[in-house]
């Protein structure tokens, strides 16, 4: 962090978030698609009693069983795993052509593989992996995925700061986060593609935002205990600069935006996607909103106010959104809000 002891008012103004109201000078042409399906492969919760409706399909206890001798049949029905992590499969369809990407990989090495098996999802048709950022709860399942895929060279898009050493340190304890290894991932069969700028995948129909502009005056990032190693010492890491989102343009409906943790701020992310693409309408916003805990609860109200103005058709907050934000979002946007759960599939179409 910069030393601001002698900073002037002008210096402070230069470092503050600034609104960027117009479209990008050279907007990205994001090819519209006919359908987007997002299957939440891993989330913090699993609720077998949630009921699907409209564009949402739920998973209950039916898909899988496991041996259990205390039952007459020698087995019992199981649902899906939930853990503090996030992973989703994103399938886009243009005409009769479909492509599936994995966005993040959950916390544990076996979590997403277990859930994929219980859902009956084959992963050999996967055509790429995108990491929202380098935190371990979004990358832990990559080893299990590599074991399942074998020797195939799976392309994986990451920000180059995803390899940053990070820790959480407060007055009581220090937690050194597991650090992602580019060498290890390459050795496991991934073709690592590092990008800081926006990039297009799937013949121009999937946008990876790269670094997100920070333009709101209320999304300040991570608090002081979140630190990164900068070669000669630990420094506060508020921005998590590697945070990026996945964006699809659903024909005649608007943008579908998928976040991992939303460290850049979900409103920053949405506005960044709107500016990059020139598409104003937000059809759906899914993933982690990172509004949990005392440091982020003051951000809930302005986030809801901004989302209310944007008026998405669907919001499905998960992972690190937090229960207070979930309750507030559900109350403020009852027609758009949907509870997230491992195994949920959102099928979004142009009609």
């Amino acid at each position: 962090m910069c030393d601001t002891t002698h900073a002037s008012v002008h210096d402070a103004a230069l470092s503050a978030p600034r609104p960027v109201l117009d479209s990008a000078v050279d907007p990205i042409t994001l090819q519209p698609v006919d359908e987007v399906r997002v299957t939440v492969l891993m989330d913090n919760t699993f609720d077998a009693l949630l009921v699907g409706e409209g564009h949402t399909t739920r998973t209950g206890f039916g898909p899988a069983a496991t041996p259990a001798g205390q039952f007459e049949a020698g087995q019992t029905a199981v649902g899906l795993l939930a853990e503090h992590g996030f992973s989703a499969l994103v399938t886009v369809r243009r005409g009769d052509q479909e492509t599936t990407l994995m966005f993040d990989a959950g916390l544990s090495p076996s979590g997403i593989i277990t859930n994929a098996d219980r859902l009956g999802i084959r992963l050999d048709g996967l055509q790429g992996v995108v990491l929202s950022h380098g935190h371990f709860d979004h990358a832990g399942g990559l080893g299990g995925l590599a074991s399942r895929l074998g020797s195939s060279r799976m392309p994986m898009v990451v920000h180059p700061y995803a390899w940053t050493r990070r820790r959480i340190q407060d007055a009581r304890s220090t937690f050194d986060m597991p650090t992602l290894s580019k060498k290890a991932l390459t050795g496991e069969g991934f073709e690592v593609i590092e990008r800081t700028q926006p990039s297009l995948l799937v013949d121009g129909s999937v946008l990876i935002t790269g670094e997100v502009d920070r333009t709101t005056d209320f999304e300040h990032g991570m608090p002081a205990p979140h630190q990164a190693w900068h070669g000669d010492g630990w420094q506060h890491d508020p921005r998590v600069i590697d945070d990026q989102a996945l964006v699809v343009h659903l024909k005649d409906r608007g943008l579908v935006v998928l976040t991992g943790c939303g460290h850049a701020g979900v409103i920053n992310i949405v506005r960044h996607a709107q500016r990059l693409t020139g598409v104003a309408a937000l059809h759906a916003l899914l993933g982690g909103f990172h509004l949990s805990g005392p440091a982020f609860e003051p951000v809930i109200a302005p986030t809801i106010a901004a989302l209310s103005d944007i008026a998405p058709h669907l919001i499905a907050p998960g992972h690190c959104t937090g229960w207070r934000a979930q309750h507030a979002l559900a109350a403020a946007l009852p027609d758009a809000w949907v509870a997230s759960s491992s195994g949920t599939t959102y099928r979004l179409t142009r009609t």
Side-chain angles (χ1 to χ4, degrees):
M1 225 166 43
C2 297
D3 180 5
T4 58
T5 305
H6 304 291
S8 66
V9 173
H10 176 67
D11 293 332
L14 289 176
S15 66
R18 296 173 298 281
V20 183
L21 302 178
D22 297 325
S23 299
V25 174
D26 185 17
I28 293 171
T29 302
L30 182 59
Q31 297 298 326
V33 304
D34 298 305
E35 179 179 296
V36 185
R37 296 195 306 276
V38 179
T39 296
V40 179
L41 206 53
M42 182 62 71
D43 205 345
N44 288 34
T45 62
F46 170 68
D47 187 341
L49 301 182
L50 287 174
V51 178
E53 56 181 342
H55 45 245
T56 305
T57 303
R58 303 293 191 178
T59 300
F61 288 119
T66 191
Q70 69 269 38
F71 296 99
E72 290 185 357
Q75 63 180 24
T76 186
V78 293
L80 299 182
L81 300 180
E83 59 187 21
H84 185 88
F86 187 74
S87 177
L89 297 176
V90 182
T91 300
V92 297
R93 179 178 62 81
R94 298 138 296 155
D96 58 359
Q97 182 179 358
E98 291 192 349
T99 304
T100 299
L101 303 173
M102 177 178 287
F103 183 75
D104 288 349
L107 177 70
S108 66
S110 60
I112 59 172
I113 297 302
T114 298
N115 280 353
D117 289 345
R118 291 181 181 181
L119 288 166
I121 295 175
R122 294 179 58 89
L123 296 174
D124 50 6
L126 201 61
Q127 293 179 270
V129 177
V130 178
L131 283 191
S132 65
H133 62 300
H135 280 168
F136 65 103
D137 51 333
H138 296 256
L142 291 173
L145 177 63
S147 297
R148 175 60 55 89
L149 296 176
S151 60
S152 63
R153 299 297 297 174
M154 178 63 64
M156 181 171 66
V157 178
V158 303
H159 187 286
Y161 273 55
W163 324 116
T164 302
R165 285 179 60 198
R166 291 182 168 116
R167 71 181 187 181
I168 303 292
Q169 184 179 61
D170 57 25
R172 295 170 296 178
S173 64
T174 298
F175 171 58
D176 292 308
M177 295 187 184
T179 303
L180 203 56
S181 167
K182 180 179 178 180
K183 180 179 179 181
L185 290 174
T186 301
E188 289 176 338
F190 292 101
E191 180 186 345
V192 176
I193 303 165
E194 296 184 346
R195 299 274 176 82
T196 61
Q197 299 298 318
S199 56
L200 289 170
L201 308 177
V202 193
D203 296 330
S205 60
V206 174
L207 168 68
I208 309 304
T209 62
E211 293 178 16
V212 174
D213 291 337
R214 316 297 171 101
T215 59
T216 69
D217 60 1
F218 55 87
E219 293 170 314
H220 303 299
M222 297 292 281
H226 184 266
Q227 301 173 357
W229 178 258
H230 289 276
D232 56 357
W234 292 96
Q235 298 179 18
H236 179 205
D237 179 26
R239 298 186 69 194
V240 192
I241 196 68
D242 44 317
D243 186 74
Q244 55 186 358
L246 183 151
V247 183
V248 181
H249 181 193
L250 182 60
K251 193 178 297 183
D252 302 329
R253 291 300 186 99
L255 299 178
V256 176
V257 177
L258 184 62
T259 67
C261 268
H263 286 297
V266 292
I267 303 304
N268 279 332
I269 290 168
V270 168
R271 291 177 179 172
H272 187 72
Q274 290 170 323
R275 286 196 304 277
L276 287 179
T277 63
V279 178
L282 175 66
H283 184 65
L285 177 61
L286 310 95
F289 290 13
H290 216 292
L291 297 171
S292 180
F296 294 96
E297 287 170 3
V299 185
I300 294 173
T303 298
I304 289 175
L307 279 177
S308 298
D309 289 340
I310 296 169
H313 178 74
L314 168 71
I315 57 170
H319 184 39
C320 52
T321 302
W323 69 269
R324 291 185 188 276
Q326 292 282 15
H327 287 208
L329 286 161
L333 297 161
D335 295 330
W337 180 86
V338 174
S340 185
S341 176
S342 293
T344 299
T345 295
Y346 306 95
R347 180 175 179 265
L348 308 173
T349 61
R350 58 181 296 195
T351 55

